[in-house]
Amino acid sequence: MLKAMIRLQWRAVWHIVAALTVAGLLLPLASVRTGWKGGLTNLPNFLTELQLWGLLYPALAALAGVALAAGIWSSDRRGHHIYALTLPIPRWRYVLLRYLAGLTLALPIVAAVWLGSVIASETLDLPAGLRIFPHALAAKFALALIVLFGFAFAIAASSSRALGIGVRFLALLVAVHLGVVMLYPKTNILWSLVTGLATWPGPFAALGGRWMLIDV
Amino acid sequence: MSRARACAAIAALLLGTAHRVPAQSVTAWRDSTLALTARYSALRDSIGRADSTLAEAGRRGDLAMASTLPQRQFAARLLEDFAELRQRRFGEALPDDRGFRISVRTFESRSVFERFDGRDRNPGKVQLTGLSGSGRDVERYERVDRVYSILVQAYTEMMFESLPVTLRKWLEFRPPLEMEETNRRYVAMYSVATGVGRAERGCIDSHIADCAYVLRLRESTDSAPGGTYPPFVRADLLLFALDRGGDSAWIRFRNAGDVLPIEALAAASRLEPDSLILAWRRDILGLRPTEGVLDGRGLLLALGWGALFLAGALGVSKWV
């Protein structure tokens, strides 16, 4: 059943997977090649540029997570979930199969990031004192992808009613935030919320922290 | 009639007193004028300095903090923080024997509506004084949440200027004490770890002579040693030496006189020059991240949230 689901989803999102895999492979290579222009004489700038390139890893994970989740559920949403409801399996099992198939399709992207990182770091002649993290970087990328895919998957799988409630809640939050900012400029509800979500133990803490392929 | 009477009275007065009033000498007039000018200056100075809108917010040792009424609690907290930092970095040292005064006119962040009328929101004033406050005088205008930073900057600048020329030349800039310590040290560590000159790499590889050269403490014997560390790193060495030296370290550093910087640092830290450099090198390189980009805690957290989102997906997918 899982194999059939993977095949089904592959047909729906193969172009997204292929594009993101290529991006995952090229990202570490491009980050190292563009930053290494000055070689050893430009080490501080190299690390600074690498740090800036590092911002693209969580961005790629976010893009991959959202694109995969949306692609996986697009046919179901178009068909108002009639296909899923006619299958002789419980709903939870169907959702679980979709989830596992989605994670399987994310594997090539993670593997590409790992391979790109290994190739990029092995081609440099770094001075003593600098360390490389190709495996840890790929693992961090995988974790960020799991979290973001899970989040986007939950949204994409939700019923129209649940989605409506979510959107209304979000609109209310933004309205309250704007009102509060106008009256009390020092209070920023939205920023506090984003900070809470993106730092330990928030769900998106995996996106933060250091994304350095090479560091001191 | 009355006019004639008035003229007669004036004539009688002049005739009667003219020979009894001695003419004042030029010296007396000059002394009198000088005294009056001095008193006027003192009065004007007193009015200007002793701002009537200011009230004392707190005292600690030889420091006094005054502020406008709405800022009093804030100013009292500032004094505590400032006194603590000053004690740690400079001990009881002052930038001038006659004291100092730092005045900051403050305002708060404005809301969207208030930004259009160009007025300051809750304007106020905070004034930090050391001893009589008749020595160095600094005035600033800043947002209220930056006042502490301004006080520290101004004070450090004054302390930097009170150093002998040799030490000022070596440091180049005042130590950036207003920066949060972890951030400051992290930047310094990166500067050290990413140095690319031959001597800079040698310092990372524990060559003490190279460290002394890149810190501009000694000359190099190498014909092409490469560049030296930026002033930020030298400031870090100074602050490290002050920490090691404890009480009165700054006073020992400043009072070392026009000696070589390494001698002044050794006097401040109470360590031998080479021991100081080695200890600093070990300390700064010890700040390098010990973990990779991934740690066990982050791994568990991400997996936990992933599972929670899956559970959420199972819960919210009731399509009918």
Side-chain angles (χ1 to χ4, degrees):
Chain A
M1 191 79 183
L2 181 63
K3 269 187 187 171
M5 190 62 86
I6 291 170
R7 222 177 1 254
L8 191 74
Q9 287 187 185
W10 170 252
R11 275 203 291 272
V13 297
W14 71 267
H15 49 287
I16 297 174
V17 173
L20 291 170
T21 302
V22 172
L25 185 70
L26 292 181
L27 178 57
L29 294 169
S31 68
V32 166
R33 279 190 70 84
T34 49
W36 195 244
K37 279 176 297 197
L40 189 62
T41 56
N42 208 10
L43 207 51
N45 285 345
F46 171 62
L47 288 182
T48 308
E49 282 195 26
L50 214 58
Q51 200 166 11
L52 292 174
W53 276 91
L55 298 174
L56 293 179
Y57 291 100
L60 183 67
L63 185 69
V66 172
L68 277 179
I72 282 168
W73 283 105
S74 63
S75 60
D76 277 275
R77 295 200 78 84
R78 269 201 307 274
H80 300 283
H81 302 287
I82 290 169
Y83 170 70
L85 293 167
T86 53
L87 285 175
I89 54 169
R91 179 184 50 84
W92 68 265
R93 193 160 170 228
Y94 180 77
V95 174
L96 194 61
L97 283 171
R98 280 269 188 223
Y99 183 81
L100 292 174
L103 281 189
T104 311
L105 292 178
L107 278 177
I109 306 168
V110 176
V113 169
W114 173 76
L115 191 65
S117 303
V118 169
I119 295 170
S121 50
E122 290 302 320
T123 51
L124 295 179
D125 184 22
L126 290 171
L130 293 189
R131 295 175 298 167
I132 52 171
F133 303 101
H135 313 306
L137 186 72
K140 190 176 165 76
F141 178 81
L143 286 178
L145 185 52
I146 287 173
V147 170
L148 287 160
F149 172 72
F151 179 67
F153 183 87
I155 291 173
S158 58
S159 62
S160 303
R161 187 169 165 272
L163 216 55
I165 293 170
V167 168
R168 271 181 227 130
F169 177 74
L170 210 64
L172 182 70
L173 190 73
V174 171
V176 170
H177 165 75
L178 288 175
V180 170
V181 160
M182 283 179 179
L183 293 171
Y184 308 100
K186 281 183 180 172
T187 313
N188 193 330
I189 295 174
L190 220 52
W191 181 249
S192 307
L193 186 72
V194 169
T195 310
L197 290 174
T199 50
W200 174 271
F204 305 118
L207 296 177
R210 291 158 55 244
W211 286 87
M212 297 290 278
L213 176 57
I214 299 161
D215 207 348
V216 293
Chain B
M1 181 65 186
S2 61
R3 193 173 180 181
R5 203 183 301 160
C7 286
I10 290 168
L13 190 66
L14 286 173
L15 287 170
T17 58
H19 64 282
R20 289 179 192 163
V21 179
Q24 282 193 326
S25 70
V26 175
T27 316
W29 272 109
R30 190 196 60 197
D31 290 349
S32 161
T33 310
L34 285 177
L36 198 62
T37 309
R39 280 173 65 186
Y40 170 71
S41 300
L43 183 64
R44 190 184 58 183
D45 196 40
S46 157
I47 290 168
R49 288 183 167 223
D51 192 330
S52 62
T53 61
L54 295 180
E56 186 173 308
R59 259 175 200 276
R60 195 159 157 183
D62 56 355
L63 296 175
M65 181 71 93
S67 75
T68 37
L69 205 57
Q71 281 79 26
R72 278 185 78 179
Q73 280 190 333
F74 164 71
R77 281 199 309 273
L78 273 184
L79 176 65
E80 292 300 312
D81 293 345
F82 180 85
E84 198 176 305
L85 178 103
R86 178 193 172 221
Q87 186 59 39
R88 182 179 167 200
R89 298 300 186 187
F90 303 110
E92 301 296 325
L94 283 164
D96 192 296
D97 292 339
R98 292 164 300 156
F100 69 94
R101 187 191 308 266
I102 306 169
S103 307
V104 187
R105 285 195 298 124
T106 65
F107 63 94
E108 285 187 5
S109 298
R110 290 169 291 180
S111 70
V112 177
F113 301 120
E114 287 169 318
R115 276 175 200 161
F116 293 108
D117 62 16
R119 282 181 306 180
D120 287 343
R121 187 164 184 264
N122 294 336
K125 190 173 180 182
V126 169
Q127 188 169 278
L128 177 69
T129 315
L131 286 181
S132 65
S134 56
R136 301 290 305 275
D137 210 339
V138 175
E139 288 219 22
R140 296 275 191 277
Y141 177 61
E142 195 50 72
R143 221 171 54 209
V144 73
D145 55 338
R146 293 213 350 109
V147 172
Y148 177 73
S149 175
I150 292 296
L151 289 178
V152 174
Q153 272 180 34
Y155 190 77
T156 317
E157 185 71 45
M158 289 192 281
M159 294 306 271
F160 171 73
E161 284 167 8
S162 72
L163 287 173
V165 181
T166 323
L167 298 180
R168 274 209 311 264
K169 276 188 179 166
W170 174 72
L171 269 175
E172 282 190 62
F173 300 105
R174 62 173 173 77
L177 284 182
E178 70 281 9
M179 275 180 82
E180 202 267 318
E181 182 158 4
T182 313
N183 289 344
R184 182 183 62 72
R185 296 224 73 199
Y186 206 64
V187 174
M189 179 272 292
Y190 257 91
S191 299
V192 171
T194 59
V196 289
R198 194 190 296 180
E200 285 169 310
R201 301 312 303 173
C203 182
I204 292 172
D205 290 338
S206 307
H207 296 133
I208 189 83
D210 287 333
C211 288
Y213 167 74
V214 289
L215 288 164
R216 292 199 189 171
L217 295 172
R218 290 186 191 127
E219 292 299 318
S220 174
T221 49
D222 194 333
S223 55
T228 56
Y229 290 144
F232 200 85
V233 177
R234 294 198 291 278
D236 186 75
L237 173 66
L238 167 64
L239 295 174
F240 177 80
L242 294 179
D243 269 344
R244 281 299 170 102
D247 284 345
S248 312
W250 174 268
I251 296 173
R252 288 197 300 278
F253 178 68
R254 185 171 65 184
N255 293 353
D258 256 336
V259 294
L260 290 173
I262 185 70
E263 290 171 29
L265 287 166
S269 64
R270 289 197 171 117
L271 289 172
E272 287 299 311
D274 285 0
S275 306
L276 170 67
I277 294 170
L278 274 177
W280 170 81
R281 182 201 155 279
R282 196 169 45 242
D283 190 69
I284 194 92
L285 289 179
L287 295 174
R288 284 189 291 184
T290 49
E291 289 176 342
V293 290
L294 187 66
D295 59 349
R297 204 175 70 143
L299 179 86
L300 286 177
L301 183 74
L303 291 177
W305 276 109
L308 210 63
F309 283 137
L310 174 61
L314 293 171
V316 294
S317 57
K318 288 174 183 160
W319 304 305
V320 285

